[in-house]
Amino acid sequence: MILIYSKDVDDFVNDVIDYLDDDFVRIGESDKVEIEAMDFSNEINSYKFKNNYLENVELEKIKSVWFNGGCITSGSNDYENKCYEVLNDAFVLQKAVKKIGKRIADFESNRLDIMLEAKKQGLKIPHTLITGNKEKLNDFYEMYKKKNGIVSKRILNSYFYEDDEFLYNFNLTFPITFEILTEVSNEFALSFFQERIIAEFEIRVIYIDGYFYSTAIHNFDDNIDIRTKFIEMDNLRMVPFKLPIAIEEKLEKVFMKFNLNYGSADLMYCNSEYYFLEINPTGQISFVNNACNYYIENQVAKILKNGT
């Protein structure tokens, strides 16, 4: 049996499932799971659960697990959901079976951790400042205003923050302008800033269990964050791309440092240099796979079916 954790909507997961036999279980983000029994003795280990469309699922029989978002939930209160998470993890994570990816909750690093490791491995990174002080931000702005300017990014892996009044979206990268600097207070929440790199092209790298699949993304307008354009693909050209072996080796060391055998990395190519930006442990794969005809779903399905 193959166990798949996934986001509720993910075309790439659907593509992989098309290459699997019937012996798999998919747990989506909103799927309600009921643990029927966890029975342990000196002779046996047994764990059965059911959801809205399956009964008597015996997880002792799993031979591989794919973490691609999603989690187990009872659909009840926070306490019971946490109990389900702890009990399920204790059983699944200790199983000596093939695992692709990691749960988001187990991804213990942040943007700075990964960036510093990339730098340690010899990858170039943009000049970065983390501060909550306007004077220091002004100095940083002055340093790059006659070049390409500076941008701000989120620090944590969380995309959103909610208070009593608003829901804030921290997902996208945006430029720091003179108008923003004028309005910002002398002290503000600790924030992440980088010099803006004007790339000849950007590179999305998919890494799966020792294999690299890369695409060069040519952006034909001045959009700061090309992720805003992936839905309509306006003014984007994507072609298969082979990274230099030396860059792949350094990238693989970064993935290995954080015990990741699955995910995506973003780089920029500028003036004959490769700049490392970030790693996403459940990176979007479909748009790279479809644009470059990589058929990555075959590789993932093969790993899951073989359990190696």
Side-chain angles (χ1 to χ4, degrees):
M1 178 187 297
I2 297 167
L3 177 61
I4 301 173
Y5 294 84
S6 79
K7 299 177 280 292
D8 285 338
V9 179
D10 192 320
D11 292 341
F12 182 67
V13 174
N14 296 337
D15 292 339
V16 172
I17 286 174
D18 287 341
Y19 283 87
L20 297 176
D21 300 324
D22 293 334
D23 195 20
F24 71 89
V25 176
R26 177 178 182 174
I27 299 177
E29 291 172 308
S30 59
D31 286 345
K32 297 178 182 179
V33 173
E34 179 182 338
I35 295 177
E36 295 185 289
M38 302 182 80
D39 187 357
F40 309 114
S41 71
N42 290 325
E43 289 77 29
I44 63 167
N45 288 335
S46 176
Y47 171 17
K48 292 184 178 181
F49 77 77
K50 64 181 179 180
N51 56 22
N52 292 336
Y53 49 90
L54 291 172
E55 293 188 357
N56 295 317
V57 178
E58 177 56 85
L59 283 194
E60 178 59 28
K61 298 178 181 178
I62 61 173
K63 63 180 182 181
S64 57
V65 185
W66 180 20
F67 299 100
N68 194 45
C71 60
I72 188 168
T73 176
S74 69
S76 184
N77 55 62
D78 290 342
Y79 173 78
E80 189 168 76
N81 286 337
K82 188 61 179 179
C83 287
Y84 268 50
E85 179 184 335
V86 169
L87 294 171
N88 185 74
D89 287 355
F91 188 88
V92 173
L93 297 182
Q94 63 81 35
K95 292 281 291 179
V97 298
K98 182 64 178 181
K99 300 181 180 72
I100 303 177
K102 295 176 70 174
R103 296 188 323 140
I104 292 294
D106 296 326
F107 193 61
E108 62 280 349
S109 58
N110 59 38
R111 186 184 297 273
L112 184 60
D113 288 327
I114 296 173
M115 189 178 66
L116 291 177
E117 181 62 27
K119 181 181 178 182
K120 179 181 177 181
Q121 296 300 338
L123 293 167
K124 293 185 72 68
I125 62 171
H127 186 178
T128 301
L129 173 70
I130 298 174
T131 188
N133 180 274
K134 182 175 183 176
E135 182 178 353
K136 294 185 183 301
L137 177 57
N138 267 321
D139 291 343
F140 193 59
Y141 176 82
E142 290 294 325
M143 188 183 304
Y144 289 103
K145 74 175 184 179
K146 292 183 179 179
K147 297 180 181 179
N148 300 315
I150 62 175
V151 298
S152 181
K153 301 179 178 181
R154 58 188 168 87
I155 296 176
L156 302 179
N157 292 321
S158 303
Y159 292 158
F160 302 100
Y161 169 75
E162 186 173 8
D163 62 18
D164 293 336
E165 297 184 71
F166 301 103
L167 176 65
Y168 301 90
N169 184 349
F170 291 143
N171 189 22
L172 299 180
T173 299
F174 63 92
I176 299 299
T177 63
F178 178 76
E179 288 73 23
I180 290 177
L181 282 173
T182 301
E183 295 182 9
V184 73
S185 59
N186 290 330
E187 301 293 334
F188 51 88
L190 198 64
S191 302
F192 188 105
F193 306 98
Q194 280 185 333
E195 64 170 307
R196 184 185 178 191
I197 304 295
I198 303 296
E200 296 172 39
F201 54 88
E202 300 189 26
I203 306 165
R204 173 61 62 91
V205 183
I206 308 300
Y207 177 74
I208 300 176
D209 212 28
Y211 293 89
F212 285 94
Y213 306 87
S214 301
T215 182
I217 306 173
H218 297 266
N219 182 14
F220 297 108
D221 64 25
D222 197 37
N223 195 285
I224 292 287
D225 196 324
I226 62 172
R227 289 174 298 176
T228 62
K229 304 171 65 179
F230 284 152
I231 296 177
E232 298 180 355
M233 304 298 284
D234 288 341
N235 291 319
L236 290 182
R237 179 171 178 262
M238 300 173 58
V239 295
F241 185 79
K242 175 61 178 175
L243 282 169
I245 296 298
I247 299 296
E248 287 188 346
E249 289 175 346
K250 292 172 183 177
L251 266 180
E252 186 163 36
K253 289 178 180 178
V254 179
F255 276 97
M256 292 174 64
K257 171 68 176 180
F258 298 102
N259 299 313
L260 285 171
N261 63 359
Y262 174 81
S264 67
D266 289 336
L267 294 87
M268 286 184 167
Y269 183 80
C270 178
N271 296 327
S272 301
E273 298 280 4
Y274 293 89
Y275 287 84
F276 175 89
L277 298 180
E278 64 180 359
I279 280 178
N280 185 333
T282 59
Q284 296 296 320
I285 292 180
S286 287
F287 76 94
V288 174
N289 194 37
N290 296 337
C292 299
N293 294 316
Y294 279 139
Y295 299 102
I296 303 175
E297 65 272 21
N298 291 350
Q299 177 69 12
V300 174
K302 180 181 177 181
I303 294 171
L304 293 172
K305 288 195 289 187
N306 293 343
T308 56

